Coordinates of all heavy atoms in Angstrom, one line a residue:
M98 N 34.9 -99.7 99.3 CA 34.9 -98.3 99.3 C 33.5 -97.9 100.0 O 32.4 -98.3 99.4 CB 35.0 -97.8 97.8 CG 35.0 -96.3 97.9 SD 35.6 -95.7 96.2 CE 34.4 -94.4 95.9
A99 N 33.6 -97.1 101.0 CA 32.3 -96.5 101.5 C 31.7 -95.5 100.6 O 32.4 -94.7 99.9 CB 32.6 -96.0 102.9
R100 N 30.4 -95.4 100.6 CA 29.7 -94.5 99.9 C 29.0 -93.5 100.8 O 28.4 -93.9 101.8 CB 28.7 -95.1 98.9 CG 29.4 -96.0 97.8 CD 28.4 -96.4 96.9 NE 29.0 -97.2 95.9 CZ 29.4 -97.0 94.7 NH1 29.2 -95.7 94.2 NH2 29.9 -97.8 93.9
K101 N 28.9 -92.2 100.3 CA 28.2 -91.2 101.0 C 26.8 -91.1 100.3 O 26.7 -91.3 99.1 CB 28.8 -89.9 101.0 CG 30.1 -89.7 101.7 CD 30.8 -88.4 101.8 CE 31.1 -87.9 100.4 NZ 31.6 -86.6 100.3
G102 N 25.8 -90.9 101.1 CA 24.4 -90.8 100.5 C 23.7 -89.7 101.3 O 24.0 -89.3 102.3
G103 N 22.6 -89.3 100.8 CA 21.6 -88.5 101.2 C 22.0 -87.1 101.2 O 22.7 -86.6 100.4
Y104 N 21.2 -86.2 101.9 CA 21.4 -84.8 101.9 C 21.1 -84.2 103.3 O 20.5 -85.0 104.2 CB 20.4 -84.2 100.8 CG 19.0 -84.6 101.0 CD1 18.1 -83.9 101.7 CD2 18.5 -85.8 100.3 CE1 16.9 -84.3 102.0 CE2 17.2 -86.1 100.5 CZ 16.4 -85.4 101.3 OH 15.1 -85.8 101.4
Q105 N 21.5 -83.0 103.4 CA 21.3 -82.4 104.7 C 20.1 -81.4 104.5 O 20.1 -80.5 103.7 CB 22.5 -81.5 105.1 CG 22.4 -80.7 106.4 CD 22.3 -81.6 107.7 OE1 23.1 -82.5 107.7 NE2 21.4 -81.2 108.5
I106 N 19.1 -81.4 105.4 CA 18.1 -80.5 105.4 C 18.3 -79.3 106.3 O 18.7 -79.5 107.4 CB 16.7 -81.2 105.8 CG1 16.3 -82.2 104.9 CG2 15.6 -80.0 105.9 CD1 15.1 -83.1 105.2
V107 N 18.3 -78.1 105.6 CA 18.6 -76.9 106.4 C 17.1 -76.2 106.6 O 16.4 -75.7 105.8 CB 19.4 -75.9 105.7 CG1 19.7 -74.6 106.5 CG2 20.7 -76.6 105.3
D108 N 16.7 -76.3 107.9 CA 15.3 -75.8 108.2 C 15.3 -74.3 108.6 O 15.8 -74.0 109.7 CB 14.7 -76.6 109.3 CG 13.3 -76.3 109.6 OD1 12.6 -75.6 108.9 OD2 12.7 -76.9 110.6
F109 N 14.7 -73.5 107.8 CA 14.5 -72.1 108.1 C 13.2 -71.8 108.9 O 12.9 -70.6 109.1 CB 14.5 -71.2 106.8 CG 15.9 -71.2 106.2 CD1 16.3 -72.2 105.4 CD2 16.9 -70.2 106.5 CE1 17.7 -72.3 104.9 CE2 18.1 -70.2 106.0 CZ 18.5 -71.2 105.1
K110 N 12.5 -72.8 109.3 CA 11.4 -72.7 110.2 C 10.3 -71.8 109.8 O 9.5 -71.4 110.5 CB 12.0 -72.3 111.6 CG 12.9 -73.3 112.1 CD 13.4 -72.8 113.5 CE 14.5 -73.7 113.9 NZ 14.5 -75.2 113.8
G111 N 10.1 -71.5 108.4 CA 9.0 -70.6 108.0 C 9.2 -69.2 108.4 O 8.3 -68.4 108.2
L112 N 10.3 -68.8 109.1 CA 10.4 -67.4 109.5 C 10.7 -66.6 108.2 O 11.4 -66.8 107.3 CB 11.6 -67.3 110.4 CG 11.6 -68.0 111.7 CD1 12.8 -68.0 112.4 CD2 10.4 -67.6 112.6
Q113 N 9.9 -65.3 108.2 CA 10.1 -64.6 107.1 C 11.5 -63.9 107.1 O 11.8 -63.1 108.0 CB 9.0 -63.4 107.1 CG 9.0 -62.7 105.8 CD 7.6 -61.9 105.5 OE1 6.6 -62.2 106.2 NE2 7.8 -61.0 104.7
L114 N 12.1 -64.0 105.9 CA 13.6 -63.5 105.7 C 13.4 -62.3 104.9 O 12.7 -62.2 103.9 CB 14.4 -64.5 105.2 CG 14.5 -65.9 106.0 CD1 15.4 -66.8 105.1 CD2 15.0 -65.7 107.3
S115 N 14.3 -61.2 105.3 CA 14.4 -60.0 104.5 C 15.8 -59.4 104.9 O 16.6 -60.0 105.5 CB 13.2 -59.1 104.9 OG 13.4 -58.7 106.3
A116 N 15.9 -58.1 104.6 CA 17.1 -57.3 104.9 C 17.2 -57.2 106.5 O 18.3 -57.0 106.9 CB 17.1 -56.0 104.3
A117 N 16.0 -57.3 107.1 CA 16.1 -57.3 108.6 C 16.7 -58.5 109.1 O 16.5 -59.6 108.7 CB 14.7 -57.1 109.2
E118 N 17.6 -58.4 110.3 CA 18.3 -59.6 110.8 C 17.3 -60.5 111.5 O 16.4 -60.0 112.3 CB 19.3 -59.2 111.6 CG 20.4 -58.4 111.0 CD 21.5 -58.0 111.9 OE1 21.4 -58.0 113.2 OE2 22.6 -57.5 111.4
T119 N 17.3 -61.8 111.1 CA 16.6 -62.9 111.9 C 17.6 -63.9 112.4 O 18.4 -64.3 111.6 CB 15.6 -63.5 110.9 OG1 14.7 -62.6 110.3 CG2 14.8 -64.6 111.5
T120 N 17.5 -64.2 113.6 CA 18.3 -65.2 114.3 C 17.6 -66.5 114.3 O 16.4 -66.7 114.8 CB 18.8 -64.8 115.8 OG1 19.4 -63.6 115.7 CG2 19.7 -65.8 116.2
I121 N 18.2 -67.6 113.7 CA 17.8 -69.0 113.7 C 19.0 -69.8 114.4 O 19.9 -70.1 113.8 CB 17.6 -69.4 112.2 CG1 16.5 -68.5 111.5 CG2 17.0 -70.9 112.3 CD1 16.3 -68.8 110.2
P122 N 18.8 -70.0 115.6 CA 19.9 -70.8 116.3 C 20.3 -72.1 115.7 O 19.4 -72.9 115.3 CB 19.1 -71.1 117.8 CG 18.2 -70.0 117.9 CD 17.7 -69.7 116.5
G123 N 21.5 -72.3 115.5 CA 22.1 -73.5 115.0 C 22.2 -73.6 113.5 O 22.8 -74.6 113.0
I124 N 21.7 -72.6 112.7 CA 21.7 -72.8 111.3 C 23.0 -72.7 110.6 O 23.2 -73.4 109.7 CB 20.7 -71.7 110.7 CG1 20.3 -72.2 109.3 CG2 21.2 -70.4 110.7 CD1 18.9 -72.0 108.9
Y125 N 24.0 -71.9 111.2 CA 25.2 -71.8 110.7 C 25.9 -73.3 110.7 O 26.5 -73.7 109.7 CB 26.1 -70.7 111.4 CG 27.5 -70.6 110.7 CD1 27.8 -69.7 109.7 CD2 28.5 -71.4 111.1 CE1 28.9 -69.4 109.1 CE2 29.8 -71.1 110.6 CZ 30.0 -70.2 109.6 OH 31.2 -70.0 109.0
E126 N 26.0 -73.8 111.9 CA 26.7 -75.1 112.1 C 25.9 -76.2 111.3 O 26.6 -77.2 110.8 CB 26.6 -75.4 113.6 CG 27.2 -76.8 113.9 CD 28.6 -76.9 113.5 OE1 29.4 -75.9 113.5 OE2 29.0 -78.1 113.1
T127 N 24.6 -76.2 111.1 CA 23.9 -77.1 110.3 C 24.5 -77.1 108.9 O 24.8 -78.3 108.4 CB 22.4 -76.9 110.1 OG1 21.8 -76.9 111.4 CG2 21.7 -77.8 109.1
I128 N 24.8 -76.0 108.2 CA 25.3 -75.9 106.9 C 26.9 -76.2 106.9 O 27.4 -77.0 106.2 CB 25.2 -74.5 106.3 CG1 23.6 -74.4 106.1 CG2 25.8 -74.5 105.0 CD1 23.2 -73.0 105.6
E129 N 27.6 -75.6 107.9 CA 29.1 -75.7 108.0 C 29.5 -77.1 108.2 O 30.5 -77.6 107.6 CB 29.6 -74.8 109.0 CG 31.0 -74.4 108.9 CD 31.9 -75.4 109.6 OE1 31.5 -75.8 110.7 OE2 33.1 -75.7 109.2
G130 N 28.8 -77.8 109.1 CA 29.1 -79.2 109.4 C 28.3 -80.2 108.7 O 27.8 -81.2 109.3
N131 N 28.1 -80.0 107.4 CA 27.1 -80.9 106.7 C 27.8 -82.2 106.2 O 27.1 -82.8 105.5 CB 26.4 -80.1 105.7 CG 27.2 -79.8 104.4 OD1 28.5 -80.0 104.5 ND2 26.8 -79.4 103.3
Y132 N 28.9 -82.4 106.5 CA 29.7 -83.8 105.9 C 29.7 -83.8 104.5 O 29.6 -84.9 103.9 CB 29.0 -84.9 106.5 CG 29.0 -85.0 108.1 CD1 27.8 -84.7 108.8 CD2 30.2 -85.2 108.9 CE1 27.8 -84.6 110.2 CE2 30.1 -85.1 110.2 CZ 28.9 -84.9 110.8 OH 29.0 -84.9 112.2
N133 N 29.8 -82.6 103.9 CA 29.8 -82.6 102.2 C 28.7 -83.1 101.5 O 28.8 -83.6 100.5 CB 31.2 -83.2 101.8 CG 32.4 -82.4 102.4 OD1 32.3 -81.2 102.3 ND2 33.3 -83.1 102.8
K134 N 27.5 -83.1 102.2 CA 26.3 -83.6 101.6 C 25.6 -82.5 100.8 O 25.9 -81.3 101.2 CB 25.3 -84.2 102.7 CG 25.9 -85.4 103.4 CD 24.8 -86.0 104.3 CE 25.3 -87.2 104.9 NZ 25.3 -88.3 104.0
E135 N 24.7 -82.9 100.0 CA 23.9 -81.9 99.3 C 23.1 -81.2 100.2 O 22.7 -81.8 101.3 CB 23.0 -82.6 98.2 CG 23.7 -83.3 97.1 CD 24.3 -82.3 96.1 OE1 23.7 -81.2 95.9 OE2 25.3 -82.6 95.4
L136 N 22.7 -79.9 100.0 CA 21.9 -79.1 101.0 C 20.5 -78.9 100.3 O 20.3 -78.5 99.2 CB 22.6 -77.8 101.2 CG 23.9 -77.8 101.9 CD1 24.5 -76.4 102.0 CD2 23.7 -78.4 103.4
L137 N 19.5 -79.0 101.2 CA 18.1 -78.8 100.8 C 17.6 -77.7 101.9 O 17.5 -78.0 103.0 CB 17.3 -80.1 100.9 CG 15.8 -80.0 100.4 CD1 15.8 -79.8 98.9 CD2 15.1 -81.1 100.9
A138 N 17.2 -76.6 101.3 CA 16.6 -75.5 102.2 C 15.1 -75.8 102.3 O 14.4 -76.0 101.4 CB 16.9 -74.2 101.5
S139 N 14.7 -75.9 103.5 CA 13.2 -76.2 103.8 C 12.7 -74.9 104.7 O 13.4 -74.4 105.5 CB 13.1 -77.5 104.5 OG 11.8 -77.7 104.9
G140 N 11.4 -74.6 104.5 CA 10.9 -73.6 105.3 C 11.3 -72.2 104.9 O 11.2 -71.3 105.7
L141 N 11.8 -72.0 103.7 CA 12.1 -70.6 103.2 C 10.9 -69.8 103.0 O 9.9 -70.1 102.5 CB 12.9 -70.6 101.9 CG 14.3 -71.0 102.0 CD1 15.0 -71.1 100.6 CD2 15.2 -70.2 102.9
N142 N 10.9 -68.5 103.5 CA 9.8 -67.6 103.5 C 10.3 -66.2 103.2 O 10.9 -65.6 104.0 CB 9.0 -67.6 104.8 CG 7.8 -66.7 104.8 OD1 7.8 -65.8 104.1 ND2 7.1 -66.8 105.9
F143 N 10.0 -65.7 102.0 CA 10.5 -64.4 101.6 C 9.4 -63.3 101.4 O 9.6 -62.1 101.5 CB 11.4 -64.4 100.4 CG 12.5 -65.3 100.4 CD1 12.6 -66.4 99.6 CD2 13.6 -65.0 101.2 CE1 13.8 -67.2 99.5 CE2 14.7 -65.8 101.3 CZ 14.8 -66.9 100.4
S144 N 8.1 -63.8 101.3 CA 7.1 -63.0 101.1 C 5.8 -63.2 101.8 O 4.6 -62.9 101.4 CB 6.8 -63.1 99.5 OG 6.5 -64.3 99.2
G145 N 6.0 -63.9 103.0 CA 4.9 -64.2 103.8 C 4.3 -65.5 103.6 O 3.3 -66.0 104.2
T146 N 4.9 -66.2 102.5 CA 4.4 -67.6 102.2 C 5.7 -68.6 102.4 O 6.7 -68.2 101.7 CB 3.8 -67.7 100.7 OG1 2.7 -66.8 100.7 CG2 3.4 -69.0 100.4
V147 N 5.5 -69.7 103.0 CA 6.5 -70.7 102.9 C 6.7 -71.3 101.7 O 5.6 -71.9 101.1 CB 6.3 -71.7 104.1 CG1 7.4 -72.8 104.0 CG2 6.2 -71.1 105.4
L148 N 7.8 -71.4 101.1 CA 8.0 -71.8 99.7 C 8.4 -73.3 99.7 O 8.8 -73.8 100.8 CB 9.1 -71.0 99.0 CG 8.8 -69.5 98.8 CD1 10.0 -68.6 98.6 CD2 7.7 -69.2 97.9
P149 N 8.2 -73.9 98.5 CA 8.6 -75.4 98.5 C 10.3 -75.6 98.7 O 11.0 -74.6 98.5 CB 8.4 -75.8 97.1 CG 7.3 -74.8 96.6 CD 7.6 -73.5 97.3
D150 N 10.6 -76.7 99.3 CA 11.9 -77.0 99.5 C 12.7 -76.9 98.2 O 12.2 -77.2 97.1 CB 12.1 -78.5 100.1 CG 11.4 -78.7 101.4 OD1 10.9 -77.6 102.0 OD2 11.4 -79.8 102.0
V151 N 14.0 -76.5 98.3 CA 14.8 -76.2 97.1 C 16.2 -76.7 97.4 O 16.7 -76.3 98.6 CB 14.8 -74.7 96.7 CG1 15.2 -73.8 97.7 CG2 15.4 -74.5 95.3
P152 N 16.9 -77.3 96.5 CA 18.3 -77.5 96.7 C 19.1 -76.2 96.7 O 18.8 -75.3 95.9 CB 18.7 -78.5 95.5 CG 17.5 -78.7 94.8 CD 16.4 -77.8 95.3
I153 N 20.1 -76.1 97.4 CA 21.0 -74.9 97.5 C 22.4 -75.2 97.3 O 22.9 -76.4 97.8 CB 20.8 -74.0 98.7 CG1 21.1 -74.8 99.9 CG2 19.2 -73.5 98.7 CD1 21.0 -74.0 101.2
A154 N 23.3 -74.4 96.8 CA 24.7 -74.5 96.7 C 25.2 -73.2 97.5 O 25.2 -72.2 97.2 CB 25.2 -74.4 95.4
A155 N 25.7 -73.6 98.8 CA 26.1 -72.6 99.8 C 27.6 -72.5 99.6 O 28.4 -73.4 99.4 CB 25.8 -73.1 101.1
T156 N 28.0 -71.2 99.6 CA 29.5 -70.8 99.8 C 29.7 -70.3 101.2 O 29.1 -69.5 101.7 CB 29.7 -69.5 98.7 OG1 29.2 -70.0 97.4 CG2 31.2 -69.1 98.7
I157 N 30.8 -70.9 101.7 CA 31.2 -70.6 103.0 C 32.7 -69.8 103.0 O 33.6 -70.3 102.4 CB 31.4 -71.9 104.0 CG1 30.1 -72.7 104.0 CG2 31.9 -71.4 105.3 CD1 30.3 -73.9 104.7
S158 N 32.5 -68.6 103.3 CA 33.7 -67.7 103.3 C 33.5 -66.7 104.4 O 33.2 -65.6 104.3 CB 33.8 -67.0 101.9 OG 35.0 -66.1 101.9
G159 N 33.7 -67.1 105.6 CA 33.4 -66.4 106.8 C 31.9 -66.6 107.0 O 31.4 -67.4 107.8
N160 N 31.1 -65.8 106.2 CA 29.7 -65.9 106.2 C 29.3 -67.1 105.2 O 30.1 -67.3 104.3 CB 28.9 -64.6 105.8 CG 29.1 -63.6 106.8 OD1 29.2 -63.8 107.9 ND2 29.0 -62.3 106.4
I161 N 28.1 -67.5 105.3 CA 27.5 -68.5 104.4 C 26.6 -67.7 103.4 O 25.7 -66.9 103.9 CB 26.8 -69.6 105.0 CG1 27.8 -70.5 105.8 CG2 26.0 -70.5 104.1 CD1 27.1 -71.5 106.8
T162 N 26.7 -67.9 102.1 CA 25.7 -67.4 101.2 C 25.2 -68.4 100.2 O 25.8 -69.3 99.9 CB 26.4 -66.2 100.5 OG1 27.6 -66.6 99.7 CG2 26.8 -65.0 101.5
F163 N 24.0 -68.2 99.8 CA 23.5 -69.0 98.7 C 22.2 -68.1 98.1 O 21.8 -67.2 98.7 CB 23.0 -70.4 99.2 CG 21.6 -70.3 100.1 CD1 20.5 -70.3 99.6 CD2 22.0 -70.2 101.4 CE1 19.4 -70.3 100.5 CE2 20.9 -70.3 102.4 CZ 19.6 -70.3 101.9
V164 N 21.9 -68.6 96.8 CA 20.8 -68.0 96.2 C 19.6 -68.9 96.1 O 19.9 -70.0 95.6 CB 21.2 -67.4 94.8 CG1 20.1 -66.8 94.1 CG2 22.3 -66.4 94.9
A165 N 18.4 -68.5 96.4 CA 17.2 -69.4 96.2 C 16.1 -68.3 95.9 O 15.9 -67.3 96.6 CB 17.0 -70.1 97.5
Y166 N 15.3 -68.7 95.0 CA 14.0 -68.0 94.6 C 14.4 -66.5 94.4 O 13.7 -65.6 94.9 CB 12.9 -68.2 95.7 CG 12.4 -69.5 95.8 CD1 12.8 -70.3 97.0 CD2 11.6 -70.0 94.8 CE1 12.3 -71.6 97.0 CE2 11.1 -71.3 95.0 CZ 11.4 -72.1 95.9 OH 10.9 -73.3 96.2
N167 N 15.5 -66.3 93.7 CA 15.9 -64.9 93.3 C 16.2 -64.1 94.6 O 16.2 -62.8 94.5 CB 15.0 -64.2 92.5 CG 15.6 -63.1 91.7 OD1 16.7 -63.1 91.2 ND2 14.9 -62.0 91.4
Q168 N 16.6 -64.6 95.6 CA 17.1 -63.9 96.8 C 18.4 -64.5 97.2 O 18.7 -65.7 97.2 CB 16.0 -64.3 98.0 CG 14.6 -63.8 97.8 CD 14.5 -62.4 98.1 OE1 15.1 -61.8 99.0 NE2 13.6 -61.7 97.3
T169 N 19.3 -63.5 97.6 CA 20.6 -63.9 98.2 C 20.4 -64.0 99.7 O 20.1 -63.0 100.3 CB 21.7 -63.0 97.7 OG1 21.7 -62.9 96.3 CG2 23.1 -63.3 98.4
V170 N 20.8 -65.2 100.3 CA 20.7 -65.4 101.7 C 21.9 -65.4 102.3 O 22.9 -66.0 101.7 CB 19.8 -66.6 102.1 CG1 19.8 -66.8 103.6 CG2 18.6 -66.6 101.4
T171 N 22.2 -64.5 103.4 CA 23.5 -64.5 104.1 C 23.3 -65.0 105.5 O 22.3 -64.5 106.3 CB 24.1 -63.2 104.0 OG1 24.3 -62.7 102.7 CG2 25.4 -63.1 104.8
I172 N 24.1 -65.9 106.0 CA 24.1 -66.4 107.4 C 25.5 -66.2 108.1 O 26.5 -66.6 107.5 CB 23.8 -67.9 107.4 CG1 22.6 -68.2 106.6 CG2 23.7 -68.4 108.8 CD1 22.2 -69.6 106.3
T173 N 25.5 -65.5 109.1 CA 26.7 -65.3 109.8 C 27.0 -66.3 110.8 O 26.1 -67.1 111.1 CB 26.7 -63.9 110.6 OG1 25.6 -64.0 111.8 CG2 26.2 -62.7 109.8
S174 N 28.3 -66.3 111.3 CA 28.6 -67.4 112.3 C 27.9 -67.3 113.6 O 27.8 -68.3 114.4 CB 30.1 -67.4 112.5 OG 30.5 -66.2 113.1
S175 N 27.2 -66.2 113.8 CA 26.3 -66.1 115.1 C 24.8 -66.3 114.8 O 24.0 -66.0 115.5 CB 26.5 -64.7 115.6 OG 26.2 -63.8 114.7
D176 N 24.6 -67.0 113.6 CA 23.3 -67.5 113.2 C 22.3 -66.4 112.8 O 21.1 -66.6 112.9 CB 22.7 -68.4 114.3 CG 23.4 -69.7 114.6 OD1 24.0 -70.2 113.6 OD2 23.5 -70.1 115.7
V177 N 22.8 -65.2 112.4 CA 21.9 -64.1 111.9 C 21.7 -64.3 110.4 O 22.7 -64.4 109.7 CB 22.7 -62.7 112.2 CG1 21.8 -61.6 111.6 CG2 22.7 -62.6 113.8
V178 N 20.5 -64.4 110.0 CA 20.2 -64.5 108.5 C 19.6 -63.3 108.0 O 18.6 -62.7 108.7 CB 19.2 -65.7 108.5 CG1 18.8 -66.1 107.1 CG2 19.7 -67.0 109.2
T179 N 20.0 -62.9 106.7 CA 19.4 -61.7 106.1 C 19.1 -62.3 104.6 O 19.9 -63.3 104.1 CB 20.3 -60.5 106.1 OG1 21.5 -60.8 105.5 CG2 20.3 -60.0 107.5
A180 N 18.3 -61.6 103.9 CA 18.0 -61.9 102.6 C 17.9 -60.6 101.8 O 17.4 -59.7 102.2 CB 16.7 -62.8 102.4
S181 N 18.3 -60.6 100.5 CA 18.1 -59.5 99.7 C 17.8 -60.0 98.2 O 18.3 -61.0 97.8 CB 19.4 -58.6 99.7 OG 20.5 -59.3 99.2
A182 N 16.9 -59.2 97.6 CA 16.5 -59.5 96.2 C 17.7 -59.3 95.2 O 18.5 -58.5 95.3 CB 15.3 -58.7 95.8
G183 N 17.7 -60.1 94.2 CA 18.6 -60.0 93.1 C 19.5 -61.3 93.0 O 19.4 -62.2 93.7
E184 N 20.3 -61.2 91.9 CA 21.3 -62.1 91.6 C 20.6 -63.3 91.0 O 20.1 -64.3 91.0 CB 22.2 -62.6 92.7 CG 23.1 -61.4 92.9 CD 24.4 -61.9 93.8 OE1 24.9 -63.0 93.5 OE2 24.6 -61.2 94.7

């Protein structure tokens, strides 16, 4: 029986995320095509400081959403990323 291992790193490139739209080319496909591996968000920046890498549980339902550092991040199929506080 073959075993799967490892994780998929999702690089947000240190770009500051907010309610304003930020485009990160290829980010939707990185998550959507992750071969069912665990996801690790790297380079998240919500307040002007790049935060430590963090495991995420993404939900794909048209858009991709996940919560990290008390921010809900949404990624559209056209690679547009937004973040909002809460949850």
Side-chain angles (χ1 to χ4, degrees):
M98 178 170 140
R100 296 190 183 255
K101 294 186 294 182
Y104 52 90
Q105 176 71 45
I106 297 172
V107 182
D108 187 5
F109 288 85
K110 305 181 186 311
L112 298 171
Q113 187 163 339
L114 303 177
S115 66
E118 295 180 345
T119 301
T120 300
I121 303 175
I124 196 138
Y125 185 92
E126 180 58 33
T127 297
I128 296 171
E129 197 272 330
N131 74 347
Y132 303 103
N133 296 315
K134 293 187 179 282
E135 296 285 331
L136 297 171
L137 182 73
S139 180
L141 285 172
N142 176 350
F143 299 118
S144 59
T146 301
V147 176
L148 300 164
D150 294 357
V151 63
I153 57 172
T156 302
I157 303 172
S158 178
N160 292 334
I161 296 172
T162 58
F163 67 88
V164 176
Y166 295 106
N167 200 35
Q168 297 279 326
T169 299
V170 178
T171 302
I172 304 167
T173 70
S174 60
S175 57
D176 297 326
V177 173
V178 183
T179 56
S181 59
E184 291 193 45

